[in-house]
Amino acid sequence: MATSTKAATGDSDDRLPLKKIPGTYGAPFFGAVKDRLDYFWFQGVDTFFKSRMDEYKSTVYRVNMPPGPPGFPDPRVIVLLDQKSFPVLFDTSLVEKKDVFLGTYRPSLSFTGGYRVLPYLDPSEERHTKLKTFCFNILKDNGPRLFSEFSNAIGDSFIVWETALEEGGTASFSTECAQFAFNFLFRGVVHRDPVAPGEASLGTKGGEHASLWTAPQLAPVASLGLPHAIEELTVHSFPLPFILVKSQYDPIFKFITTYATDALGKAEALGIDRNDAANNLLFFLSFNAFGGFNIFFPAVVREIAGVGPDLMRELVSEVKDVLAATGENKISLQSLGKMSLVTSVVYECFRINPPVPFQYGRAKKDFILESHDASFEIKKGEMLFGYQPFVTNDPKVFADPGTFNPKRFLGPEGEKLISSVFWSNGRETDSPTLQNKQCAGKDLVVTISRLFVAELFNRYESFELAPKPAGPAGPTSQVTFTSLIKNAKT
Ligand code: HEM
């Protein structure tokens, strides 16, 4: 198993046999349209990648990735589906990360006030250094506040769910997730409650504004649930204009410029224009953070429910035992550090279901790339693309990869696997820096996700969910509690 941050670039004498990269892009335009129809319609995402992997007997091959012609630039990519080739995407000496945050396209700059925000910048750009420093600083300054605001915000949602179930209604996890995720982030960083009255109050609409502003940016690569023919002729073929969601962006921007005076002042001290900083802050909080948690938390709840009552009992007893041993009545960063099953569950959720499934990078020069079985010539300018759910389910690294194993990362053998968890555009054992493109919020994300699981089982003995609705999975699929049994202590 490779453990270094460097990709397997095969420049040693014992390099694996050099092979031509299999796969084809087909005829111009028609090849891209065919692949896109396979991806969204005839095959679906996983079969799209798996069928080609089987056909070419290779985890590295050429294919067109959506979106594509006529409205989007070049869809040709080289797919990476194994743990050995994929880390090339972390190596910014080999790949350029300019404008590839969402894929082969970059939404219009109107969505971000005319600025190329941090996730679209390559570390070679000076703005990357300044803006990532800004992001690191706000996370460092507000770490304890974000921690306590999370517990407060999810506490409000506990009451909402319990009241709804007592009244015989349904308790939507998804609706409340949008509330507590948005509220803790904005209270923690902007230092103002979005719900509190005031000239720039967002009321309870903050999460909705953020989701609707994000949607057209992701639409080219997403299934929106519209009839296929309509999606293919519209959102998968042409970018949607910002004007459709300006009314969603404006209130969040006003909230930030009105109340985030502390954060914006610190950005100015770093030499970042205030308007640029406000747009970046809006992106970090509404797209990166809120968007990420809104995908990840429902997946965590589903995975735990899928394993069932035994796991829930063990989680309850770990949380209770740690709190009893530390004498705390509230979960703290210290007590969280002692909850190893909670941590293993969170890593397993990231492994089996990485919330951001796609990663892109353009080759900065010619080099040789290795998969587990062969080596391949990569040419400068070619687009490399990793489909992360296959990579983190690589059977050469993880035993029984398709099974959710809550204890996978426990003990000395389990700990060795942590470096192969890749959700953050880097190894879980690596750290985001000014030179790399690893998620700036990586440590916060893992801490808050552990806190989420711990808060849930500090409050409840067990829960049950309504069956998964039919239709495409992902952020739009609703998660609903049908029962919540309170912990005897609460
Ligand atoms: C970058 C995932 C939360 C800030 C990324 C990337 C991924 C990711 C995969 C790399 C994208 C690429 O270039 O290929 C997630 C997930 C999150 C999350 C799944 C939550 C579950 C956060 C939070 C913040 C944040 C809480 C900070 C408030 C950023 C920034 C970048 C980034 C600024 C760009 C880093 C750079 O340009 O060097 N995130 N993220 N993210 N994330 Fe996160």
Side-chain angles (χ1 to χ4, degrees):
M1 186 204 324
T3 50
S4 83
T5 308
K6 287 273 174 204
T9 46
D11 41 15
S12 61
D13 292 342
D14 53 5
R15 182 190 292 161
L16 290 164
L18 193 63
K19 282 197 184 157
K20 182 173 177 282
I21 301 174
T24 170
Y25 301 122
F29 185 88
F30 294 103
V33 171
K34 180 197 169 294
D35 283 347
R36 201 171 75 201
L37 293 178
D38 277 349
Y39 181 93
F40 283 115
W41 197 352
F42 296 125
Q43 296 186 305
V45 181
D46 283 5
T47 309
F48 178 82
F49 293 117
K50 172 93 171 54
S51 61
R52 285 161 178 80
M53 185 167 87
D54 293 345
E55 182 188 344
Y56 304 135
K57 297 190 175 40
S58 177
T59 49
V60 175
Y61 55 82
R62 295 182 188 277
V63 78
N64 298 292
M65 262 303 281
F72 293 95
D74 192 352
R76 293 172 301 168
V77 302
I78 296 169
V79 177
L80 315 176
L81 298 177
D82 65 84
Q83 285 251 341
K84 195 164 172 194
S85 60
F86 183 86
V88 71
L89 294 166
F90 311 153
D91 187 340
T92 50
S93 71
L94 291 177
V95 299
E96 186 182 63
K97 296 285 291 182
K98 201 170 182 176
D99 293 333
V100 298
F101 175 61
L102 294 182
T104 57
Y105 71 104
R106 193 210 62 217
S108 153
L109 294 184
S110 341
F111 284 96
T112 46
Y115 297 92
R116 279 176 64 236
V117 290
L118 174 57
Y120 291 101
L121 306 177
D122 187 74
S124 60
E125 299 178 69
E126 198 199 333
R127 270 166 56 73
H128 182 272
T129 309
K130 279 191 183 174
L131 289 166
K132 202 160 183 180
T133 305
F134 170 47
C135 190
F136 282 152
N137 288 353
I138 52 174
L139 293 175
K140 189 162 143 273
D141 293 350
N142 296 305
R145 197 190 280 254
L146 282 160
F147 193 94
S148 61
E149 290 294 2
F150 182 83
S151 297
N152 295 340
I154 197 166
D156 294 343
S157 294
F158 290 154
I159 310 283
V160 173
W161 290 324
E162 288 158 22
T163 310
L165 288 173
E166 271 160 30
E167 288 171 356
T170 53
S172 168
F173 175 81
S174 307
T175 307
E176 278 307 303
C177 181
Q179 292 298 332
F180 69 72
F182 191 89
N183 290 340
F184 100 89
L185 287 162
F186 279 72
R187 288 173 192 161
V189 172
V190 179
H191 305 173
R192 171 86 186 189
D193 185 355
V195 182
E199 60 160 316
S201 169
L202 293 171
T204 53
K205 297 267 185 210
E208 190 180 316
H209 288 316
S211 300
L212 291 171
W213 163 74
T214 308
Q217 301 176 62
L218 288 171
V221 287
S223 289
L224 301 183
L226 302 171
H228 284 297
I230 294 182
E231 286 196 357
E232 291 323 314
L233 293 171
T234 56
V235 294
H236 296 159
S237 293
F238 299 98
L240 290 171
F242 168 64
I243 192 71
L244 295 176
V245 291
K246 184 174 182 308
S247 59
Q248 311 297 331
Y249 161 92
D250 283 347
I252 312 180
F253 188 73
K254 186 170 179 201
F255 185 80
I256 286 179
T257 47
T258 308
Y259 300 120
T261 44
D262 183 44
L264 297 181
K266 285 180 177 154
E268 279 185 313
L270 289 171
I272 303 166
D273 168 78
R274 205 173 175 86
N275 210 30
D276 188 358
N279 275 287
N280 271 280
L281 191 55
L282 190 153
F283 201 90
F284 303 157
L285 294 178
S286 304
F287 198 121
N288 296 120
F290 173 76
F293 284 128
N294 245 334
I295 297 172
F296 189 56
F297 290 149
V300 172
V301 171
R302 273 215 187 282
E303 294 297 351
I304 294 175
V307 181
D310 288 348
L311 173 60
M312 296 191 194
R313 259 191 298 279
E314 287 186 74
L315 286 166
V316 171
S317 91
E318 180 174 87
V319 174
K320 274 186 186 166
D321 289 351
V322 168
L323 290 183
T326 53
E328 291 171 350
N329 57 3
K330 267 172 72 176
I331 298 160
S332 67
L333 195 56
Q334 289 69 27
S335 52
L336 207 52
K338 298 186 168 66
M339 297 178 191
S340 48
L341 179 60
V342 167
T343 305
S344 178
V345 164
V346 166
Y347 283 149
E348 182 67 342
C349 289
F350 275 120
R351 181 193 73 81
I352 210 150
N353 218 338
V356 176
F358 308 145
Q359 310 278 275
Y360 287 83
R362 200 175 281 286
K364 276 185 173 163
K365 55 184 176 192
D366 295 357
F367 62 89
I368 302 290
L369 178 74
E370 282 192 354
S371 70
H372 293 302
D373 317 306
S375 53
F376 304 94
E377 257 179 316
I378 304 292
K379 294 283 177 207
K380 182 177 176 186
E382 290 190 303
M383 182 71 108
L384 300 167
F385 157 75
Y387 182 56
Q388 201 152 226
F390 276 32
V391 175
T392 55
N393 281 275
D394 185 337
K396 291 218 160 75
V397 175
F398 294 106
D400 198 5
T403 301
F404 183 89
N405 174 357
K407 298 186 181 168
R408 192 182 292 275
F409 296 97
L410 292 180
E413 287 311 304
E415 278 171 25
K416 283 189 208 153
L417 290 173
I418 296 174
S419 68
S420 301
V421 177
F422 286 171
W423 68 270
S424 62
N425 193 41
R427 293 184 180 279
E428 193 51 33
T429 41
D430 289 342
S431 295
T433 66
L434 299 180
Q435 290 75 38
N436 69 22
K437 284 294 285 178
Q438 191 162 16
C439 174
K442 176 194 162 234
D443 292 344
L444 175 79
V445 171
V446 175
T447 303
I448 295 293
S449 301
R450 288 155 65 212
L451 182 59
F452 168 64
V453 175
E455 288 288 1
L456 214 49
F457 290 98
N458 192 30
R459 180 86 172 185
Y460 301 113
E461 293 287 344
S462 65
F463 59 80
E464 285 173 22
L465 301 180
K468 211 171 182 171
T476 50
S477 78
Q478 291 291 310
V479 176
T480 307
F481 289 121
T482 51
S483 96
L484 278 169
I485 310 293
K486 269 173 90 175
N487 188 321
K489 188 172 62 93
T490 53

